[in-house]
Amino acid sequence: MKHIPIVRTGYFLGCVLLVTICYSWIMVNNIFIRSVVQLQKSQNGSQGQQNSFLIKDRVAEELYGYAQNERVSNRMKLVLLWSSLFNGLEFLKTGQNSFNHSSCSEKKCEITSDRRRLMESDAVLFHLRTVSMTDIPRSRASHQKWIFFSLEAPPYSHFHGFSFMNDMFNWTMTYRSDSDIVLPYGRVIRNDESANRLDNLYSLWQQKRKMATWMVSHCDTDSAREGYIKAMEKFMEVVTFGECGVAVCPVNKTEECLNNFSKKFFFYLAFENAICDDYVTEKFFRTLKYDMILVVFGGGKYSKISPPGSYIDAMEFSSPKELSIYLYKVAANFTLYAQYFKWKLDGYDIRDVPDPCMLCEKLHSNSFRLYSVYHDIRKWWVAGSHCRKWEMT
């Protein structure tokens, strides 16, 4: 009786498994491509052609109760969250609460995550970090705006599905100033009401004993901020908190931690994990409220979003050594140190969460009726963000 060698049997089974995997991959990819092609047809279908993925304007009028000459702002607008949101994006609440506050000039908008309401939605929001190209709507109404949404910088939101997103999105909603809906991480608003917080600045300055601190959870970043900090530490003390540091601030205790830091440290390092156009996260806006001078490191236009004289830009110094020398100079001279807090006497309202008001306002504007589409969203998002990495010179 002959026995089939174990090696040959294993080889045969391996080949069968490989063929099965390849076949499955081809079938899934084929389904995926077909769904994307159908999606693009629905986006680009001409008005003169019948397209099963489009609802014609006449039908839309009957279903949604508006005619071409009706004022855009006369009815409630519905926004569908198609892909899930991360923790920290609670400002986009389902229902009408996201827009029902004093800062929103337009409040007639509702947010839903109920996919059954797809065809009645005026806008469909796709969160880039959670969207799957195998899970996109197979139908879209002709009046809808599909919105590309991201608050993460391109190095942390780039994926291979971009090549299938051509002609998919009508609007963009990001922190970038050239977005259709500009959604920064925070805002600084002049209110002409003095905070009167400089009364005890001198005594606070006298009790400070440490130079700089920061809280960080990403230890290896695209911006190479950790390399910059390491170079700074050759010349001055930097105490790191968070996942990459000596201790972690307890959950939901960030404000308490920052308040404690402000009693001990002269400076807070608001260093971003990516150096991209307009990318300034909540760490900047949040820390403005405390009695530490912010040292920023990023690609934002800080002079346009900050009170005058409220920060020190690391990018304006030739090296970490030069920055460290200047920080020592500021810390040792109260008059110079106090210059960075004068803006608090003028009165500013600091908001450290994104404000979605512009989304509702845009849906009620004339822009809603205008046709627009991003042919190459990858080019706009990735190449157009001009991201770069810090390098020691």
Side-chain angles (χ1 to χ4, degrees):
M1 181 177 178
K2 290 186 177 181
H3 295 278
I4 298 176
I6 295 177
V7 174
R8 292 185 179 179
T9 303
Y11 177 77
F12 174 76
L13 292 175
C15 290
V16 172
L17 180 61
L18 179 61
V19 170
T20 302
I21 293 174
C22 290
Y23 178 77
S24 300
W25 183 87
I26 291 172
M27 292 300 296
V28 171
N29 191 56
N30 185 46
I31 294 172
F32 167 63
I33 292 176
R34 278 161 48 195
S35 67
V36 172
V37 170
Q38 288 172 332
L39 168 69
Q40 292 178 339
K41 285 181 179 179
S42 74
Q43 171 66 32
N44 296 321
S46 62
Q47 293 184 357
Q49 297 175 335
Q50 292 297 320
N51 191 323
S52 61
F53 294 97
L54 283 176
I55 292 183
K56 296 301 178 182
D57 292 340
R58 178 181 58 79
V59 180
E61 291 171 15
E62 295 173 358
L63 288 178
Y64 313 125
Y66 70 92
Q68 292 295 327
N69 59 357
E70 182 182 357
R71 284 178 55 85
V72 177
S73 61
N74 281 348
R75 66 183 187 88
M76 184 72 68
K77 296 290 186 177
L78 181 63
V79 179
L80 171 61
L81 297 177
W82 183 261
S83 48
S84 61
L85 302 178
F86 288 156
N87 290 335
L89 299 181
E90 290 83 3
F91 61 90
L92 288 173
K93 301 175 182 177
T94 55
Q96 300 178 34
N97 291 335
S98 292
F99 311 101
N100 191 24
H101 51 85
S102 59
S103 63
C104 287
S105 61
E106 180 57 72
K107 298 176 173 59
K108 293 192 294 293
C109 288
E110 177 187 355
I111 295 178
T112 182
S113 58
D114 185 354
R115 292 187 172 189
R116 294 172 298 180
R117 304 182 70 182
L118 169 65
M119 298 309 290
E120 65 178 285
S121 298
D122 298 284
V124 183
L125 201 64
F126 296 88
H127 183 214
L128 184 59
R129 288 292 301 274
T130 57
V131 69
S132 170
M133 290 306 294
T134 60
D135 181 37
I136 54 176
R138 293 177 60 81
S139 304
R140 72 185 298 175
S142 61
H143 74 289
Q144 280 178 347
K145 298 298 184 185
W146 282 21
I147 304 175
F148 173 96
F149 168 49
S150 180
L151 285 180
E152 294 286 344
Y156 300 99
S157 59
H158 176 64
F159 73 115
H160 297 296
F162 272 134
S163 58
F164 297 100
M165 287 181 165
N166 289 349
D167 302 313
M168 175 174 169
F169 298 107
N170 307 106
W171 288 348
T172 54
M173 187 169 82
T174 80
Y175 57 82
R176 269 178 42 183
S177 58
D178 59 340
S179 301
D180 296 287
I181 301 165
V182 182
L183 190 68
Y185 275 83
R187 298 177 65 192
V188 178
I189 303 172
R190 181 71 179 270
N191 61 18
D192 294 323
E193 296 180 5
S194 176
N196 293 321
R197 296 185 58 187
L198 297 187
D199 298 341
N200 64 342
L201 184 62
Y202 183 76
S203 59
L204 185 61
W205 172 77
Q206 284 185 312
Q207 73 183 44
K208 291 176 184 284
R209 291 293 181 266
K210 295 181 179 294
M211 284 296 291
T213 187
W214 67 325
M215 289 190 291
V216 57
S217 57
H218 295 162
C219 307
D220 184 14
T221 63
D222 186 78
S223 66
R225 64 185 179 186
E226 59 279 357
Y228 195 103
I229 297 294
K230 186 176 181 180
M232 284 184 68
E233 290 176 327
K234 296 178 181 179
F235 310 101
M236 60 174 278
E237 179 187 21
V238 177
V239 180
T240 301
F241 288 88
E243 298 294 335
C244 312
V246 297
V248 177
C249 182
V251 177
N252 299 324
K253 296 289 186 179
T254 299
E255 293 187 3
E256 182 178 329
C257 290
L258 288 172
N259 188 54
N260 290 333
F261 293 163
S262 68
K263 298 174 183 177
K264 303 174 183 178
F265 294 92
F266 291 100
F267 305 98
Y268 187 89
L269 309 181
F271 280 33
E272 303 294 352
N273 61 12
I275 306 173
C276 304
D277 287 359
D278 299 327
Y279 185 59
V280 180
T281 60
E282 77 288 341
K283 63 175 65 67
F284 171 80
F285 298 98
R286 179 180 60 203
T287 317
L288 275 174
K289 302 175 184 178
Y290 298 89
D291 292 324
M292 295 177 286
I293 298 177
L294 276 174
V295 182
V296 300
F297 175 91
K301 301 179 181 69
Y302 292 96
S303 62
K304 293 186 177 181
I305 63 173
S306 315
S310 60
Y311 65 91
I312 296 171
D313 191 346
M315 296 295 192
E316 295 181 354
F317 293 82
S318 60
S319 68
K321 178 181 179 180
E322 294 301 317
L323 172 62
S324 300
I325 292 173
Y326 182 73
L327 295 184
Y328 270 118
K329 179 181 178 181
V330 173
N333 186 327
F334 175 72
T335 302
L336 183 56
Y337 185 79
Q339 292 293 321
Y340 288 95
F341 294 93
K342 279 190 172 182
W343 63 272
K344 292 191 175 183
L345 293 177
D346 297 329
Y348 286 88
D349 182 17
I350 310 297
R351 301 178 184 178
D352 57 359
V353 294
D355 186 345
C357 292
M358 189 176 180
L359 170 60
C360 190
E361 293 166 7
K362 188 80 170 178
L363 289 171
H364 284 277
S365 72
N366 290 330
S367 298
F368 182 72
R369 293 196 180 279
L370 301 178
Y371 174 80
S372 62
V373 66
Y374 283 81
H375 172 64
D376 189 343
I377 193 65
R378 181 188 182 280
K379 181 178 180 181
W380 181 84
W381 181 235
V382 180
S385 289
H386 306 107
C387 299
R388 55 269 190 203
K389 187 186 298 286
W390 177 80
E391 295 180 357
M392 178 72 79
T393 56

